[in-house]
Amino acid sequence: MTGDSEFHEVLHSLHVWDTALPSFDPASAPAEPLELFREWFVHAARAGQVEPHTMSLATVDADGRPDARILMLHDADARGWHFASHATSAKGRQLAGGPEAALVFYWPAVGRQVRVRGRVTACGERESRADLAVRSRGALAAALTGRQSEVLGSREELAEASAAAWERAGAEPDAPAPTWTRYVLEPLEAEFFQGDAARRHVRLRYRRAEGSGWTRELLWP
């Protein structure tokens, strides 16, 4: 078992950004955040960032307590940032009760992060089914297993349900998963952070101004 001394020794020996980082001139940033996000996303992927499409989703439960988890980005377009989950999961229930959420992408390979805040809308059945149809057999099997966030009696119970779901996913690639839902976060605010080894980080925030597009402003690091 790892003790306090070993944990702290390792923790305090770690370094951040021991590599050359890209530069970012906020004066050259586009007028809207989507274009910059796509540019940074492609750059991070080509720079070797593992799973750049993973992101943190933060929501709030009925008691006002924050919650967060990692999931995958399914798209980013003029409508917003897309992801999917079961409507009956913890995040699905939280979004139904309070559709405001935040996303965070962190790409340490290039010292960049992107934060997006906005309102989340659940897509209709047709779009949600289409979302699942283009994914792998494993993704369909997981969706068919269902019961996400419910209490699990045993690992054996999961193994049995999962095996049945995998078999069905192979036999019925169009099998419906009624609670599977695609969501879109419409951004009201987006921040782009470029790390700097000298701690002179660049932070550029976009804020949606009602009726007049986006405003941009620099933030102190």
Side-chain angles (χ1 to χ4, degrees):
M1 182 175 292
T2 302
D4 287 351
S5 60
E6 183 179 2
F7 167 75
H8 288 106
E9 179 183 355
V10 172
L11 174 63
H12 296 302
S13 70
L14 300 175
H15 299 279
V16 179
W17 304 325
D18 282 347
T19 185
L21 297 177
S23 60
F24 172 49
D25 179 7
S28 65
E32 298 188 358
L34 176 62
E35 182 180 346
L36 184 57
F37 174 81
R38 287 179 164 181
E39 177 186 325
W40 276 27
F41 182 92
V42 171
H43 179 268
R46 290 178 174 170
Q49 177 61 56
V50 176
E51 299 181 351
H53 58 321
T54 56
M55 60 187 185
S56 297
L57 168 68
T59 53
V60 176
D61 69 14
D63 296 318
R65 296 176 300 183
D67 203 352
R69 74 290 288 162
I70 304 294
L71 69 170
M72 289 193 302
L73 176 72
H74 287 202
D75 199 0
D77 59 18
R79 294 167 59 193
W81 276 249
H82 298 235
F83 60 93
S85 183
H86 288 283
T88 51
S89 67
K91 54 184 162 305
R93 295 193 304 271
Q94 290 165 6
L95 288 170
E100 300 289 335
L103 303 173
V104 180
F105 296 83
Y106 179 48
W107 302 315
V110 289
R112 286 177 169 175
Q113 65 174 300
V114 180
R115 302 167 59 210
V116 187
R117 301 170 68 192
R119 186 174 183 85
V120 177
T121 301
C123 298
E125 179 182 352
R126 181 177 179 180
E127 191 171 358
S128 296
R129 284 179 64 101
D131 176 272
L132 194 54
V134 299
R135 302 185 68 200
S136 67
R137 178 183 175 185
L140 175 58
L144 292 173
T145 302
R147 303 184 65 178
Q148 190 176 49
S149 303
E150 295 182 19
V151 175
L152 175 65
S154 68
R155 295 184 65 187
E156 290 74 21
E157 183 181 356
L158 171 60
E160 182 177 344
S162 177
W166 271 88
E167 182 175 352
R168 186 182 178 195
E172 300 177 54
D174 296 324
T179 62
W180 186 259
T181 304
R182 184 169 178 129
Y183 296 93
V184 182
L185 184 148
E186 180 184 4
L188 298 176
E189 183 178 304
E191 181 189 324
F192 294 79
F193 172 101
Q194 173 62 69
D196 179 82
R199 302 304 190 265
R200 292 187 286 270
H201 313 308
V202 179
R203 295 176 63 189
L204 175 65
R205 180 171 64 187
Y206 290 79
R207 289 195 296 174
R208 191 185 293 275
E210 188 174 350
S212 60
W214 293 89
T215 61
R216 294 180 298 173
E217 53 199 358
L218 291 174
L219 303 176
W220 280 84

